[in-house]
Every structure is written in C-alpha cells, then in structure tokens.
Amino acid sequence: MKRRLTLLLCTLLMACVGEENIYREYECYFVFETSLHPLPCQLTATLSTNGQFVKVETQMEQGVRHLKTIRNSDNATEDISLTTASEKNRNYAFGANNCIIVGISSYDNVLVAYEGQCSNCLKELGGRKYPLTWQNNGTFLHCDKCKRTYNVNNGVVTDGASGIELYRYKVAFDGTILRVWN
C-alpha cells in the first residue's frame, strides 16, 4: 500500500513538472484497467516492478481490440484481448506508429511512458517507421535506422550520435487504472 501511494504521488508530481517534455506530434490516449487483467498479465506486473518495461501495441482482430506486449527483460510476448464493455467503447491512440513503452524506472522508481519510435529519426527524417528494439536484457532501446541506443530508465542517448531523449507521454496509475496520454 505504501509503495502504491509513493508511486501515485511521484506520478502526480511528474505530471505537474516537465509539461514541455511531453510529445504532442502524434496523439496518444490509452487506458488500461488492471482489475480486468490481473497477474500474471505482463502489463499489470510491470506496474509494480522497478526496471520492468513493456512495449504495447494495439490491433483489431475479428472485431476485438488486442494489446500485444513485449517485456524488456526476456522479450516475452503476450496478447491481451479487450472484451469488456468499457474497453470496447474507448478510443485508443498509440503515438507515431501504434507503439508506446511503459514501465517504472529503476533509477528513481518513477512510472514513465515513451513513444515507441526513435525520437531523433522522427524529428530528423519525418515519417513513422523507426521502431525501437530491446537490447542488453531490456536495459536499452536501439534504433536500427540511426544506430542510437537509449537508456530505458531515463530516455537518454547512451550510444551513437548525440541527440534528444526519447519522447515522453504523460502517465498515471492509481493502483487500478493506468492512463497514458498527451
């Protein structure tokens, strides 16, 4: 309980500061109810484990929205069907190319959400086809296009040409509902 309260307070503080760092070029809106998808759901587990991150994408399959997640630590995948009335009635937007990255930084225990595309390629080249892939047991994200590597815990470039940090989205978790938006 104390950990959740600390996480909630940190998340609220982060929402108040750094407004200028929120990426707004492409719409992002995602709501996920952990009570509908209890453990061992990867996304639910990520919200209580420092250093754990997941890439989240969405797609429609036979009229049902699915979340496809890839965990950073072991590249394990999961397919989560969103089938309840509240989930079916939501509009979802996942940034530049249908991918966001969510997790808790192992540096400062703060919940973060990033754009799933390389921020430097988006800025310098335009378009939307610059996916990031997990490296070094999920501690880093790598762009095959520009060869930059980012630290997933703080979003900074750690290898390759210097550049801007990963684009961030606002994120909040109240212990039951995860929200990511811009």
Side-chain angles (χ1 to χ4, degrees), residues 118-124 143 146-151 154-167:
C118 175
S119 53
N120 287 282
C121 288
L122 281 170
K123 182 179 179 183
E124 296 166 5
C143 175
C146 69
K147 306 301 183 207
R148 286 181 179 93
T149 300
Y150 301 86
N151 184 317
N154 60 14
V156 300
V157 176
T158 59
D159 194 28
S162 63
I164 60 174
E165 296 179 5
L166 290 173
Y167 287 133

Side-chain angles (χ1 to χ4, degrees), residues 30-32 37 41 43 55-59 64-69 78-82 87 92 94:
F30 175 55
V31 176
F32 183 76
H37 306 280
C41 174
L43 184 51
K55 290 174 71 174
V56 184
E57 298 178 355
T58 183
Q59 65 186 52
V64 175
R65 180 171 302 283
H66 290 256
L67 299 179
K68 308 289 184 166
T69 63
E78 184 174 29
D79 183 332
I80 305 165
S81 299
L82 304 181
E87 293 171 321
Y92 295 90
F94 281 70

Side-chain angles (χ1 to χ4, degrees), residues 113-153:
Y114 300 114
E115 167 59 47
Q117 301 290 302
C118 175
S119 53
N120 287 282
C121 288
L122 281 170
K123 182 179 179 183
E124 296 166 5
L125 305 173
R128 305 178 295 160
K129 300 284 185 184
Y130 313 109
L132 298 166
T133 56
W134 298 120
Q135 276 194 338
N136 196 26
N137 294 322
T139 307
F140 298 98
L141 288 159
H142 181 74
C143 175
D144 283 338
K145 178 69 176 173
C146 69
K147 306 301 183 207
R148 286 181 179 93
T149 300
Y150 301 86
N151 184 317
V152 73
N153 288 290

